Amino acid sequence: NGAVVYLLVATMVVSAGDKGYMDECDMRAVCKSGCTFDAFPDLACTTVDMSVYNGGQVYSRLFAYQPGPTGASSAYQTCLGTAPEDVTGELVYLAGNSEPSARTATCFKSCYDSSDLSDMPLSARQSFQLMDRRNLCASTTESYLLCVSPEDECEQVVYDLGVGEFRTSTVAVLVTVAISVPIQFLFDALFIYTMMIRQMTMSDIATGLRKCGFQMLSIGTVLVHLTMALSQLVQLYLQDGRVNVVYVTYFAATALDQLRNVVFHTLIWYTVARRCGQIEAREVIIKDEGP
């Protein structure tokens, strides 16, 4: 059960790291679906050869979301709500003072005003005008949204340990161990308690039923943990999640736990069995004297 618990917790830790980003990026599919519906009967949204520079991120996989023939639909209004009011993104970042914003944007306005750039330093303004290919609102009469394609890259948690796709982080490993140890401790306590229940006679049906019940509970706990771990892994595979990160985190957390066990058991042996070194360690030889 220990291996299953560590696999389950490692999968949940890795999934939780990217879940917030993925939830935001899921709006891209909603807007693409709404655009296709509003464009009926064309059944297609126009892909545009443009790029948007926002918050230090460059988005080039875009489609034009035009309002429907009868006006802006509820889907269009929803996607319009995702477009940032600050069309340039974080001005502090563009001044070179912060990290890029998370790559989770959904839609942008199709143009910008020259006043949007008035407070920007000259170097930042030049960078924006070089990488952002939208038109000035004063030079165009078109009004639509530029939305990011669902196939565009979504922000992910950065893992600093490992090589290539096989990566993890110190935080992920420590969190996995910190969550897994108490769960495994409770299961071990349940297992030990079950083993201590002894049915002295066959007529002691109540004790037998109690022992059997706790045995079923132990087996059920293992099966539940295994089912949850496999379902989380399958979900990651289906969503093209970073399964390799799960495996690296799992093995690293397991190795760390084994190291913790060695240290912990050594301390118990020294402090309890040897009374903090006051009792000399002796080798006990058991001889088999035979019949």
Side-chain angles (χ1 to χ4, degrees):
N1 183 69
V4 176
V5 168
Y6 271 90
L7 180 60
L8 170 62
V9 175
T11 307
M12 295 178 67
V13 168
V14 174
S15 299
D18 291 329
K19 187 178 186 305
Y21 295 135
M22 294 178 65
D23 289 344
E24 293 186 51
C25 291
D26 284 345
M27 274 301 299
R28 298 173 180 177
V30 173
C31 292
K32 186 62 179 288
S33 176
C35 179
T36 303
F37 183 82
D38 289 348
F40 184 83
D42 293 338
L43 298 180
C45 293
T46 305
T47 302
V48 293
D49 184 19
M50 298 181 67
S51 62
V52 173
Y53 183 57
N54 187 273
Q57 299 282 2
V58 179
Y59 298 89
S60 56
R61 304 179 70 176
L62 304 167
F63 62 91
Y65 191 169
Q66 303 275 0
T70 58
S73 63
S74 59
Y76 183 89
Q77 294 291 347
T78 300
C79 296
L80 178 62
T82 67
E85 291 296 328
D86 176 15
V87 297
T88 62
E90 299 178 7
L91 298 182
V92 176
Y93 165 74
L94 294 175
N97 297 325
S98 110
E99 294 294 324
S101 58
R103 192 177 181 82
T104 57
T106 300
C107 293
F108 304 94
K109 296 177 180 178
S110 58
C111 62
Y112 63 92
D113 294 313
S114 57
S115 60
D116 295 325
L117 312 181
S118 59
D119 295 332
M120 297 174 61
L122 178 60
S123 59
R125 187 185 312 166
Q126 291 174 340
S127 298
F128 176 84
Q129 293 174 328
L130 178 65
M131 289 181 276
D132 194 297
R133 296 167 57 190
R134 287 177 290 180
N135 298 319
L136 286 170
C137 294
S139 63
T140 180
T141 58
E142 294 182 299
S143 178
Y144 57 91
L145 292 175
L146 288 174
C147 295
V148 183
S149 170
E151 288 77 27
D152 191 73
E153 179 185 358
C154 184
E155 185 76 15
Q156 291 183 322
V157 175
V158 177
Y159 293 96
D160 54 357
L161 300 177
V163 179
E165 296 182 355
F166 295 90
R167 308 185 70 85
T168 187
S169 69
T170 304
V171 174
V173 174
L174 292 178
V175 170
T176 300
V177 173
I179 296 176
S180 301
V181 169
I183 296 176
Q184 185 59 29
F185 175 80
L186 293 176
F187 179 80
D188 290 342
L190 173 64
F191 184 79
I192 293 173
Y193 177 77
T194 303
M195 295 296 296
M196 292 177 63
I197 299 176
R198 298 193 178 278
Q199 185 179 9
M200 304 306 294
T201 61
M202 293 298 295
S203 59
D204 190 0
I205 299 177
T207 302
L209 290 176
R210 183 156 58 95
K211 185 179 181 69
C212 181
F214 278 106
Q215 288 174 339
M216 293 297 102
L217 179 60
S218 301
I219 295 174
T221 301
V222 175
L223 293 178
V224 168
H225 288 165
L226 180 61
T227 302
M228 292 176 64
L230 292 178
S231 64
Q232 291 279 347
L233 281 176
V234 170
Q235 186 176 6
L236 278 179
Y237 273 112
L238 293 178
Q239 295 178 347
D240 294 327
R242 291 182 289 181
V243 181
N244 292 332
V245 176
V246 173
Y247 294 145
V248 175
T249 304
Y250 164 71
F251 286 116
T254 303
L256 180 61
D257 182 60
Q258 296 305 311
L259 178 61
R260 179 192 63 82
N261 285 334
V262 171
V263 174
F264 185 70
H265 290 149
T266 301
L267 288 175
I268 292 179
W269 170 78
Y270 184 78
T271 57
V272 178
R274 294 193 56 194
R275 302 297 190 274
C276 296
Q278 296 182 14
I279 299 179
E280 182 180 354
R282 296 180 180 180
E283 182 179 358
V284 178
I285 301 177
I286 301 177
K287 297 182 179 181
D288 185 6
E289 298 180 356

